[in-house]
Amino acid sequence: RRVLAAEHLFHAGDRARAGALLDGVLAGDTADATQARALHLLGKIRGQEDGFAAAIPNFEQALRRGTEPSLR
């Protein structure tokens, strides 16, 4: 649910709060699929804030952890 909340914050333009929620997800003991979704969204945030090159590590980690077709 925190990833979904972060998605809503991201789309509302509150990238800082979305990023904070996602950092919490990644620090916790969550399933790989959840972490993959969090990393993918974090990559989108980093891409908007710091440029695409800064987002690449997040996207690569998301690919390694996730099996969802939407992340590929």
Side-chain angles (χ1 to χ4, degrees):
R1 293 190 333 197
R2 288 184 292 169
V3 175
L4 182 60
E7 287 179 30
H8 290 298
L9 288 167
F10 170 73
H11 290 296
D14 195 346
R15 293 189 303 258
R17 284 181 58 200
L21 272 177
L22 296 170
D23 287 339
V25 169
L26 295 172
D29 186 25
T30 56
D32 282 346
T34 301
Q35 287 196 359
R37 288 181 56 226
L39 285 162
H40 183 256
L41 183 54
L42 199 55
K44 287 182 177 181
I45 293 169
R46 294 285 190 297
Q48 286 188 2
E49 291 182 346
D50 303 320
F52 185 71
I56 291 173
N58 294 110
F59 291 140
E60 289 175 338
Q61 287 180 12
L63 284 171
R64 283 193 295 273
R65 291 193 187 165
T67 58
E68 290 182 37
S70 65
L71 297 176
R72 300 204 172 264

